[in-house]
Amino acid sequence: MPNSRTARPEIPSTVWLARGRHTGNRPDEALRRSLRRLKDAGDIDDFLELPADDTAPDLVFESRTRVAGEVTVRARLTLAPGTDRGRDWTLLAEAEQPWQHAWPSPAGMFWEQEADADWHHDPATGLLPGEIHFLPEDDKAVRRLLRDCARDPWHIHVVVHEAMTTDERGRVPLARWLPPGLRHRVVEHRALPQQSRVANWALREFGVEVPRGGAAVLPGAPAPDGYEADAFAVRAVFLDGTRPSGLVDAVTRFDALPRALPDGAREALTALREDWHLLSLEEELARERALVTMYAEALEAMTKSRDLYREAAERAHEALAAYQDAPTAPPPPRTPPTPLQHLTRTLDRLRPRRAPSRTSEEPAPEPRTTAPER
């Protein structure tokens, strides 16, 4: 299997994330109706709607609740504009502590799960997480489907091979046995007895093999650190209505691996943390105190900078005044000659002097006559 590691940030341990597509009519109305009902029932503390505009075409809903007693969970759902295939949504939730699979699914903070079955289609495949989906009959269609599923970083895709035709007891979805935090994120594919070879042919490029009568958890893209195909393949899954312990364990272990944030999740996480509007009274007070502290620090820094500038300006004026009042500076002292210069001058004095040469215009000197000797 190709090991595609990236430098993208990992999903924090406190974060739960999912995405889906609502294929019905008026998902915004479904969200408002569900949120009002959940707040009236006390299942969530509060919710807030941020309407779309020209600069932000997505509709945003925020919801806050508490799990496990007093652990606050903040969740933000972004609903994209509609297309002919429906409206895609992205959901990120963050708790004050590392996320526990036993906690309720954050999708339940927004959608009416029983009354509305149109909200949780997988955008990559169009399939419903938490349900059983049999592979297509056409081999090429099987390959296209499983290649898309093996690269999907948002959902956990599981392929289960039926060694023999099952009855109603074997048609129990895997999601029934999963903890609440995983049920809306797992897509289950079933391969009929005669589809074992085509399923493994489709998954060969990822190094994944589904054992006959077993199952395999697909890697996603990029594959998380620590993923080994053999470690997440289950040799036997008994489709007799009993809990598939080995498969549940494989899915849970896979979800615990450090995984990179999918495309689009980083921006959603930043918005959840930095553009949060649904504040409690305590959070409002804490936010105001933080603003006051920030402004006080900024004012102190500005005052200190002003004082330093004033002090520097005063020193510059004093130095300029002292320079203007000072007398004319004396000439620089003569530098004594170096030993080499002294020796050169001495040699110049000892050098013999030549008589100056006579030019043609100068008169020749008269010959000197001497008196005859007596």
Side-chain angles (χ1 to χ4, degrees):
M1 189 196 83
N3 294 325
S4 54
R5 303 292 187 255
T6 69
R8 289 189 295 180
E10 294 180 352
I11 302 174
S13 61
T14 55
V15 170
W16 187 97
L17 74 170
R19 72 169 182 173
R21 175 176 295 155
H22 193 290
T23 59
N25 297 322
R26 301 304 306 268
D28 51 339
E29 288 295 338
L31 284 166
R32 296 185 189 101
R33 183 172 58 252
S34 175
L35 288 167
R36 292 191 193 100
R37 181 182 60 83
L38 292 169
K39 181 180 178 180
D40 293 342
D43 294 330
I44 61 174
D45 295 343
D46 203 355
F47 73 92
L48 178 67
E49 177 182 352
L50 305 176
D53 54 33
D54 295 337
T55 59
D58 296 339
L59 189 62
V60 176
F61 292 89
E62 295 180 349
S63 178
R64 186 182 65 245
T65 189
R66 286 166 293 175
V67 297
E70 295 297 328
V71 180
T72 299
V73 175
R74 299 186 305 165
R76 195 173 193 266
L77 186 145
T78 304
L79 185 65
T83 65
D84 55 350
R85 296 176 298 176
R87 297 185 69 173
D88 291 351
W89 53 266
T90 303
L91 170 58
L92 265 79
E94 185 165 24
E96 296 176 318
Q97 300 178 8
W99 195 268
Q100 304 296 321
H101 289 144
W103 293 348
S105 170
M109 298 170 62
F110 295 93
W111 300 109
E112 293 180 323
Q113 301 176 40
E114 293 80 12
D116 186 2
D118 296 326
W119 63 271
H120 66 326
H121 288 263
D122 173 20
T125 62
L127 304 179
L128 290 172
E131 303 291 338
I132 295 175
H133 301 280
F134 287 92
L135 295 179
E137 296 182 0
D138 181 69
D139 292 356
K140 292 183 179 179
V142 170
R143 185 176 187 181
R144 286 194 299 268
L145 174 64
L146 292 184
R147 289 178 74 178
D148 291 341
C149 296
R151 294 169 177 160
D152 180 17
W154 285 90
H155 292 85
I156 301 174
H157 292 266
V158 177
V159 180
V160 180
H161 177 244
E162 297 183 351
M164 59 184 66
T165 303
T166 61
D167 54 17
E168 292 300 323
R169 294 178 302 172
R171 299 296 167 86
V172 177
L174 170 65
R176 173 179 174 179
W177 311 103
L178 293 173
L182 287 174
R183 290 173 188 169
H184 298 134
R185 296 178 46 236
V186 176
V187 182
E188 181 181 357
H189 308 270
R190 287 283 183 95
L192 296 174
Q194 66 273 18
Q195 291 182 308
S196 175
R197 181 175 297 180
V198 67
N200 286 325
W201 168 71
L203 295 172
R204 181 172 53 188
E205 64 180 289
F206 303 99
V208 177
E209 182 176 354
V210 183
R212 185 171 183 82
V217 181
L218 304 189
D225 290 328
Y227 177 87
E228 298 294 338
D230 292 341
F232 294 94
V234 181
R235 295 298 173 186
V237 178
F238 299 102
L239 302 175
D240 56 0
T242 60
R243 184 177 187 273
S245 302
L247 185 53
V248 171
D249 176 70
V251 171
T252 305
R253 286 188 293 106
F254 177 85
D255 188 65
L257 293 177
R259 291 176 294 149
L261 282 169
D263 292 337
R266 184 174 185 178
E267 294 78 6
L269 180 58
T270 300
L272 172 65
R273 291 177 171 177
E274 300 181 5
D275 194 26
W276 180 258
H277 296 77
L278 184 60
L279 300 175
S280 63
L281 180 59
E282 293 78 8
E283 292 170 337
E284 285 279 7
L285 292 175
R287 183 177 183 178
E288 295 300 326
R289 292 192 188 100
L291 288 175
V292 170
T293 302
M294 181 182 67
Y295 292 147
E297 292 175 352
L299 180 61
E300 182 181 358
M302 292 173 60
T303 303
K304 185 176 181 181
S305 299
R306 182 198 61 187
D307 294 342
L308 292 175
Y309 177 80
R310 180 183 298 169
E311 182 179 354
E314 291 175 353
R315 290 182 179 179
H317 284 300
E318 292 174 359
L320 180 60
Y323 176 79
Q324 293 174 344
D325 296 340
T328 303
R334 297 180 60 185
T335 304
T338 63
L340 179 60
Q341 292 173 335
H342 183 72
L343 177 61
T344 303
R345 293 174 183 176
T346 303
L347 292 176
D348 287 341
R349 288 196 300 270
L350 295 178
R351 183 180 301 170
R353 302 288 181 180
R354 286 186 180 182
S357 59
R358 182 174 57 87
T359 64
S360 58
E361 297 180 355
E362 295 179 352
E366 298 181 358
R368 181 178 179 182
T369 57
T370 58
E373 295 181 357
R374 295 181 179 178

